[in-house]
Amino acid sequence: VTPVAAQDVPAGLEIGKAAPEFLVPDWRTGQNVSLRQFRGRPTLLLFLQPRSDLSREVLLQVQRLVQNNPEWDMRPVVLFMEEDREAVRDLLQRRDWPYPVLLGRALRASYQVEATPRLVLLDGQGVVQGQYTGWGPEIPLLLRRDLRRIAEKK
């Protein structure tokens, strides 16, 4: 067996390339959910820590972005990086989050989650259109820009 050098390993995420497929459990139902299930509309994957105050802010801002821009038909999907049911339940009840919530810790490597929050924007075909790590006033602006670009391609 010949070892593979790090540079020979394909990058997990590249703008313009298909996002890695996944099959992870839904927090609410326990049923496995596939990335393919989200095809057909832009999807924003939100990799978050359930006990982080910053996660609360991200959920609030993303929910507002979706509600204020229905023409983009974007679906946010939360992928929590820790299995802390009490913290997740508390966070979701406070936010009244109606969108999918998945357990995403198994995706740390394939989605290059080195820090949270980590957001990955996919178009309706599952192609990566944007990647954002951290949260500040520029992130919603970048998301709007990239969502407009996706809408213009339709």
Side-chain angles (χ1 to χ4, degrees), residues 7 16 40 44 52 59 72:
Q7 64 267 23
L44 180 63
S52 166
L59 289 176
W72 291 333

Side-chain angles (χ1 to χ4, degrees), residues 24-35:
V24 295
D26 182 289
W27 271 96
R28 294 176 177 118
T29 67
Q31 295 180 342
N32 283 331
V33 176
S34 164
L35 178 61

Side-chain angles (χ1 to χ4, degrees), residues 73-92:
D73 194 30
M74 181 184 70
R75 175 187 356 205
V77 176
V78 172
L79 294 115
F80 282 116
M81 303 309 293
E82 292 178 15
E83 192 169 352
D84 185 336
R85 295 210 174 271
E86 181 181 322
V88 170
R89 189 171 25 258
D90 180 54
L91 182 60
L92 296 177

Side-chain angles (χ1 to χ4, degrees), residues 28 55-56 59-60 62-64 66-67 76 78 80 87-101:
R28 294 176 177 118
S55 293
R56 295 178 200 284
L59 289 176
L60 175 65
V62 168
Q63 196 165 16
R64 285 182 182 159
V66 171
Q67 291 169 346
V78 172
F80 282 116
V88 170
R89 189 171 25 258
D90 180 54
L91 182 60
L92 296 177
Q93 285 175 346
R94 288 184 188 192
R95 285 272 60 89
D96 191 28
W97 185 259
Y99 309 107
V101 179

